[in-house]
Amino acid sequence: MNVIGKLPFVIATRFSQKYRPPLQQIRNMSLVRSLAFVNNQWVPASSGETFEVTNPANGQVLGQVPDMDVDDTEQAVNVAFEAFKTWEHTTAKERSVLLRKWYNLLEDNKDEIAQIMTAESGKPLSEAAGEVAYANGFIDWFSEEARRIPGEIVASPTQTKEMMMIRRPIGVAALITPWNFPAAMITRKAGAALAAGCTCVIKPAEDTPLTALAMADLAAKAGIPKGVINVVTCSRKKAAEVGRVLCTSPQVAGLSFTGSTNVGKLLYEQCASTVKRVSLELGGNAPFIVFESADLEAAVKGAIACKFRNCGQTCVSANRLFVQESIFNQFVAKLEEAVKGLKVGDGAAAGVTQGPLINDAQATKVKQLVEDAVKKGAKVHLGGKPASEMGARYFQPTIISDVDHSMRVYNEEIFGPVAVCIPFKSEEEVLAIANSTRSGLAGYFYSNNLSQIWRVAKRLEVGMVGINEGLLSAPEAAFGGIKESGIGREGSHYGIEEYSYIKYLCFGHD
């Protein structure tokens, strides 16, 4: 049962019939760059230092990129700050046209971007193709939204004044993006920022900088002016100092970050010194609830999509699967059968649906989470161990039950291919458990009881709810969480609000 191959987000393309291109072919692709991108120029780090980008599937070195530092980052910020002085005065139509040109080039080069993404992130090539289509959709969307940024005329309380509100771009936007969606998290942020009239300094994850550089190359070819988009690359050891510059520089007006809650809190604190506009999309602990009225086949398909996409490495991945007692055994049996159809391997090999975990630290974490649960009495229905025969970063798709509060898998974001199944008795009980966390990004539930659907949708303490649906994301939708899962929204027309401020104009007259 190859559910993943049928998902709307994970577009099954001709890539699924191909094997990984030779290493030299990846290195020779026209969009693979070995320098950072500042002021429309390809530049090294001022220190001359570099770091390696590797393929998590096999450890092969794909290339090296600049390991930039504080001075390099400040230079990129200065460039973006100067570029803003001109870019903010472009018309909405001019920005729209340039974004459309960028979108067209991204579409023309989608195959190569997907191959680069699979090589550096490890995700299956069909999933990478799906992400590229999703990512490009944000540039398509914001190219149109650029011309729909509204203002407002207010009825004046006096006869000698006219009052209106307009939106203006905030300035330089610092964008810190993660490795799990190396294209989409850039376009979701940069598309909105550019549409609003902001300039950008992008700091991609150290695991996946090549995708970011490829997209910047196409932005320049689309005619986006110099200094409007800049990409600063750095290793993990310099990430803190580079992030601190982006948070504390008075020339940066706003920061958008997607990543862990702990890092997000640190960046939020650092941004306070200059009172920046902040948009944070942080960790989740998404509940996935299956009520006894649910269509079990649909629920299983949704669980596979929600839990095992990108090897479970998504912020909206189902972390705990709550299933009503009367159907628990039936659901677990169907889920087990579906998971058996997943294929683990190199993301570019034919038919693979589960690639490696991104790095050694993540592979170790997933292994320890499962070992902790088993040691404390959890039952393993399927998997439960590293897929060592494939390599050090692979983990078997896993289903476990008999889980309780003492186990780390119950309380922590797993970020791996481990489905934790927990029975529940009543709606009230499962809502209390699902809401008993400081996270509040996404939640999912399956039910065919209309009254219950309305109740649960309102009472789940999350920013997004999937109702009989395991895949939430779309450029047209407002993406974001509550509680400690973040601040602000990305995508939809609300996404532009993160990069603009309201200016009140009062006209006096006789």
Side-chain angles (χ1 to χ4, degrees), residues 18-30 32 55 58 60-63 112 115-116 118-120 125 210 346 348-349:
K18 291 185 177 182
Y19 287 86
R20 175 174 50 82
L23 178 61
Q24 195 59 40
Q25 183 177 335
I26 290 289
R27 290 175 174 170
N28 290 339
M29 286 181 176
S30 63
V32 173
N55 185 335
N58 50 38
Q60 285 185 328
V61 176
L62 300 171
E112 185 170 330
Q115 292 180 59
I116 293 170
T118 289
E120 66 176 350
L125 204 43
L210 300 181
D346 187 322

Side-chain angles (χ1 to χ4, degrees), residues 9 53 102 106 113-123 127-129 131-132 134-136 175-190 202-216 231 258 310 313-314 358:
F9 179 84
V53 182
W102 189 19
L106 290 169
I113 295 172
Q115 292 180 59
I116 293 170
M117 185 188 300
T118 289
E120 66 176 350
S121 75
K123 65 174 59 181
E127 278 201 35
E131 184 190 334
V132 171
Y134 171 58
N136 294 356
L175 314 178
I176 303 179
T177 59
W179 47 262
N180 56 344
F181 290 96
M185 296 304 95
I186 289 175
T187 58
R188 193 161 75 183
K189 299 175 190 296
I202 302 167
K203 206 292 287 182
E206 63 273 9
D207 295 298
T208 55
L210 300 181
T211 301
L213 294 171
M215 297 172 74
V231 180
T258 296
N310 200 19
Q313 299 174 113
T314 80
I358 186 65

Side-chain angles (χ1 to χ4, degrees), residues 248 263 318 414:
T248 59
V263 174
I414 298 170

